[in-house]
Amino acid sequence: STQSTWGMNSSDATLITSPEISAVDTLWVIVSAALVMLMTPSLGFFYAGLVRQKNILTMLIQCYAIFAAISIVWSLIGFTLCYGTSISHIIGGFDHFGMANIGTAPFKEAETVYGLAFFFLSLIHISEPTRPERISYAVFCLKKK
């Protein structure tokens, strides 16, 4: 009998050749992503505590604006550049541009969860605001980094 990469004989009944979608894994990914998404208002209130009283609303709006802007960019092009079919092993292709071809089929990075759940998890983890700024909202929107 032949040896697999898992160290089992290919005649073993327990050898997993291709993982299936797991409801438990998918549920865990969705719940954990939802908990991380709750951090957006929490970070807004935390950052609001670091600034003067007149800047509290600006801090909250900035946190939500960052979340909204990154969500749009990630949905349109970011996900496909990270997880699309590789172009010379440097960057992903455009096969998921605008969330195309993201559905129930799993990705190789998360073989036991639905594609949309993996998309949601990856979106949430990159879209959390990282630092407070003591500037007006108009300047924040136009600021070049």
Side-chain angles (χ1 to χ4, degrees):
S1 69
T2 60
Q3 194 78 357
S4 73
T5 57
W6 295 91
M8 300 176 169
N9 292 330
S10 61
S11 60
D12 266 346
T14 58
L15 179 64
I16 300 172
T17 56
S18 128
E20 294 181 11
I21 299 290
S22 168
V24 175
D25 289 351
T26 302
L27 178 65
W28 176 249
V29 165
I30 291 171
V31 167
S32 61
L35 289 173
V36 173
M37 191 170 77
L38 288 175
M39 288 173 52
T40 301
S42 302
L43 277 170
F45 287 117
F46 172 74
Y47 289 154
L50 298 176
V51 297
R52 293 192 314 234
Q53 187 174 2
K54 69 177 190 168
N55 297 327
I56 290 176
L57 185 60
T58 302
M59 290 305 318
L60 293 173
I61 292 173
Q62 285 179 18
C63 285
Y64 284 112
I66 289 170
F67 182 77
I70 292 176
S71 296
I72 292 169
V73 172
W74 183 254
S75 300
L76 289 177
I77 196 161
F79 185 80
T80 192
L81 292 177
C82 289
Y83 298 107
T85 306
S86 177
I87 299 175
S88 300
H89 302 289
I90 296 174
I91 196 163
F94 292 100
D95 46 344
H96 301 301
F97 181 76
M99 292 181 61
N101 304 320
I102 300 175
T104 58
F107 290 92
K108 67 180 178 180
E109 290 82 3
E111 295 177 337
T112 59
V113 298
Y114 288 106
L116 280 174
F118 178 68
F119 171 82
F120 182 60
L121 180 71
S122 61
L123 165 68
I124 296 303
H125 282 122
I126 65 149
S127 61
E128 286 300 320
T130 57
R131 61 190 170 103
E133 290 286 336
R134 295 181 182 189
I135 58 175
S136 71
Y137 182 67
V139 174
F140 167 76
C141 290
L142 299 174
K143 182 181 176 185
K144 295 182 180 180
K145 296 189 179 195

